[in-house]
């Protein structure tokens, strides 16, 4: 009984410490976001861009209205793109249009760096069907990095594209995804049809 009570006390202390550490981490993240929000007023565009990217990583929805205000008045194209990314990460889904369109511009490297951090590839499927060939190739390169098993079926039609660059990008993306998943075309084709159907929902 005494040992059980001591164990209970130790577990309670551990939980209390873990909770305090989590609260401290959250408070630190909130402080970083608040500092970043203030930096959006900087005269240096690199500082403003960096601040927007900090807010994006934090998903700091409490600063969304501030970011929207700065986005309306921002003149620098790279900072505007960073602000759009921050807004997307804060829940403004339509901002993804701007990010994807930037793949066909001088800011393609910046846009790709943002899209390569997506946790879910599904939002990109819509654009893959509707963008020009150059953008499709870049989206396929991004899907190679962020795609999952469901992505394989989405990009399969592009492997037979009349545009050789699109076909090569799709085939390369499929190989990279399969390698990452530890799959081969053979064992993927033998997966139960029910499992495949569940991957394509949504």
């Amino acid at each position: 009984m005494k040992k059980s009570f001591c164990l209970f006390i130790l577990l309670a202390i551990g939980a209390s410490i873990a909770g305090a550490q989590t609260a401290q981490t959250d408070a630190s993240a909130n402080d970083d976001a608040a500092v970043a929000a203030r930096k959006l007023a900087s005269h240096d565009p690199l500082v403003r861009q960096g601040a927007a990217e900090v807010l994006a990583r934090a998903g700091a929805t409490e600063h969304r209205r501030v970011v929207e205000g700065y986005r309306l008045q921002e003149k620098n194209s790279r900072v505007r793109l960073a602000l759009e990314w921050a807004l997307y990460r804060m829940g403004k889904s339509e901002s993804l249009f701007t990010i994807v369109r930037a793949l066909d511009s001088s800011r393609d490297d910046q846009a790709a760096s943002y899209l390569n951090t997506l946790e879910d590839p599904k939002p990109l499927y819509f654009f893959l069907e509707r963008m020009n060939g150059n953008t499709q190739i870049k989206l396929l390169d991004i899907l190679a990095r962020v795609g999952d098993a469901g992505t394989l079926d989405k990009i399969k039609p592009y492997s037979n594209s009349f545009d050789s660059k699109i076909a090569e990008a799709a085939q390369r993306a499929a190989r990279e995804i399969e390698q990452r998943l530890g799959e081969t075309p053979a064992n993927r084709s033998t997966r139960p049809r029910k499992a495949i159907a569940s991957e394509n929902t949504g």
Side-chain angles (χ1 to χ4, degrees), residues 24-93:
Q24 187 176 9
T25 300
D26 291 344
S28 177
N30 290 337
D31 289 344
D32 290 344
V35 170
R38 290 194 294 271
K39 288 182 178 180
L40 293 176
S42 172
H43 293 297
D44 186 340
L46 289 177
V47 172
R48 298 197 302 275
Q49 179 180 334
E53 290 168 351
V54 168
L55 291 167
R57 287 192 294 272
T61 54
E62 68 273 20
H63 297 292
R64 176 169 166 171
R65 291 185 66 182
V66 172
V67 173
E68 288 175 332
Y70 279 109
R71 169 62 187 85
L72 288 174
Q73 67 184 34
E74 183 57 58
K75 300 294 189 294
N76 184 283
S77 60
R78 295 188 73 86
V79 179
R80 279 202 309 272
L81 192 62
L83 289 167
E84 290 285 8
W85 178 240
L87 289 171
Y88 175 71
R89 300 296 282 187
M90 292 174 182
K92 189 176 181 181
S93 58

Side-chain angles (χ1 to χ4, degrees), residues 85 88-89 96 100 114-127 139 142-152 154 177 180 198-202:
W85 178 240
Y88 175 71
R89 300 296 282 187
L96 192 60
V100 172
Y114 296 154
L115 296 175
N116 279 328
T117 66
L118 287 173
E119 296 86 2
D120 186 349
K122 291 185 181 67
L124 297 180
Y125 299 158
F126 172 86
F127 300 100
L139 283 171
I142 292 164
L143 287 169
R145 297 179 178 87
V146 305
D148 54 24
T151 307
L152 293 169
K154 292 293 184 180
I177 293 170
R180 192 168 67 250
S198 67
E199 288 165 358
N200 289 334
T201 57

